[in-house]
Amino acid sequence: MTAMRPEPAIRRSEATTAAVGLAFLSVLLVSCSPLARVRSRLDLPASVGSPDRQRLHVTFAASTAAGPLAAPPPGIEPPEQRLLAEVEVTPAASGFDVELKFRKRSVYVNLTGWYDSDGDGKVNGGDAVGSLGPAPVLATDKGVFSGNLTVTPPIALKPVL
């Protein structure tokens, strides 16, 4: 009678270790790609009451070249962006925090926030609008240990009269 030898557990352990190592390496490589981030606080007027995320519209203009870059007007779709961004909006004490993430080493950014108070899809009285201003901000990825977040001054959305 021949006794069957069980498959060594070492082989499964080695395969698991290799898979975990490959996954870690993949995450590490993705995290090394350039990422410039811009965070802005959009402060709403007190008249808004309890803000609804669905009524907040954020548009941005972005360029890798220095030069004039006006904030896009509220309620009008800006020209198609060559630079795409991931946009995250989170509630804040006085409005919303908006973060734009670009897969670039450096990018000039200008943005506009519009809160459509009545939800009609048009900029009119009672809505609130604000932008960074006439000059863009430069967001840069300074490297792995130096950070990649550029925080702008707060943007006060002012009521449209």
Side-chain angles (χ1 to χ4, degrees), residues 1-7:
M1 185 166 173
T2 309
M4 293 189 56
R5 298 180 78 187
E7 187 69 25

Side-chain angles (χ1 to χ4, degrees), residues 64-83:
T64 55
L69 187 64
I76 297 174
E77 196 63 35
E80 186 174 332
Q81 294 286 331
R82 284 187 235 159
L83 300 178

Side-chain angles (χ1 to χ4, degrees), residues 18-148:
V20 168
L22 186 58
F24 178 74
L25 183 60
S26 297
V27 169
L28 185 62
L29 289 175
V30 168
S31 67
C32 290
S33 67
L35 181 70
R37 302 181 316 155
V38 176
R39 183 178 300 148
S40 296
R41 164 77 45 93
L42 301 180
D43 290 328
L44 296 171
S47 60
V48 169
S50 76
D52 177 4
R53 164 62 184 102
Q54 299 304 316
R55 294 185 181 212
L56 179 70
H57 303 273
V58 177
T59 54
F60 67 91
S63 174
T64 55
L69 187 64
I76 297 174
E77 196 63 35
E80 186 174 332
Q81 294 286 331
R82 284 187 235 159
L83 300 178
L84 299 178
E86 179 184 329
V87 180
E88 288 182 16
V89 178
T90 54
S94 58
F96 297 96
D97 283 332
V98 175
E99 187 170 315
L100 305 173
K101 298 177 183 179
F102 296 90
R103 290 280 171 199
K104 296 286 180 189
R105 184 137 335 268
S106 65
V107 60
Y108 292 88
V109 180
N110 207 333
L111 68 97
T112 297
W114 162 43
Y115 191 80
D116 188 8
S117 295
D118 55 10
D120 67 353
K122 300 174 190 165
V123 178
N124 50 29
D127 292 351
V129 174
S131 67
L132 278 175
V137 296
L138 175 61
T140 59
D141 183 344
K142 298 171 191 82
V144 177
F145 300 109
S146 299
N148 60 2

